Amino acid sequence: MTIVIQLLVLAFVVLSTILVVGIPVTLASPGQWEKSKNLIYTSMGIWVGLVLVTGILNSFVV
């Protein structure tokens, strides 16, 4: 179970890093928001899901 939590946290950190870099670049680039907004919204949904799943699974670890 600890390995699963560690992998979820790793995925969370990697996705957070990608979003921290990717969202400002997308917003600063002309015309990119219209092309990339679905991808960004999906990535943000996955980010929220990782937070929730990691928190729920972490409550089972003693």
Side-chain angles (χ1 to χ4, degrees):
M1 184 63 124
T2 306
I3 297 292
V4 173
I5 300 287
Q6 290 176 350
L7 290 174
L8 285 171
V9 170
L10 176 65
F12 175 73
V13 169
V14 169
L15 183 59
S16 295
T17 304
I18 291 170
L19 289 175
V20 163
V21 173
I23 290 176
V25 168
T26 301
L27 291 174
S29 302
Q32 285 288 44
W33 173 247
E34 290 80 22
K35 294 178 187 175
S36 302
K37 68 180 176 180
N38 288 335
L39 179 62
I40 289 176
Y41 286 145
T42 303
S43 300
M44 290 169 47
I46 293 170
W47 187 89
V48 169
L50 280 172
V51 169
L52 295 174
V53 169
T54 303
I56 290 169
L57 289 179
N58 196 31
S59 68
F60 294 115
V61 176
V62 177

